[in-house]
């Protein structure tokens, strides 16, 4: 599964880790995150994330 990076603050969403504080378990692909997912660091939406290189 591919990692994605917030274009605002640089936070990296790693699907192998998930986002525990938002109830997102490890193993959830970025594409499968809920539409209301926000960056846990700066609060922007999914549309502000880009695939990590």
């Amino acid at each position: 599964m591919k990692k994605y990076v917030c274009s605002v603050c640089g936070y990296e969403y790693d699907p192998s880790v998930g986002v525990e504080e938002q109830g997102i378990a490890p193993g959830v692909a970025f594409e499968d995150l809920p539409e209301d997912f926000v960056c846990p660091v700066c609060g922007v939406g999914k549309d502000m994330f880009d695939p990590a290189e």
Side-chain angles (χ1 to χ4, degrees):
M1 284 185 279
K2 194 169 187 124
K3 296 179 183 179
Y4 280 74
V5 178
C6 176
S7 63
V8 175
C9 72
Y11 168 79
E12 183 175 83
Y13 175 72
D14 182 347
S16 68
V17 177
V19 185
E20 184 177 336
E21 60 269 18
Q22 291 188 26
I24 299 170
V28 176
F30 184 81
E31 296 81 7
D32 296 330
L33 291 173
E35 286 306 311
D36 62 353
F37 171 80
V38 295
C39 176
V41 175
C42 70
V44 298
K46 279 177 72 173
D47 60 329
M48 297 300 290
F49 279 74
D50 298 309
E53 297 196 18

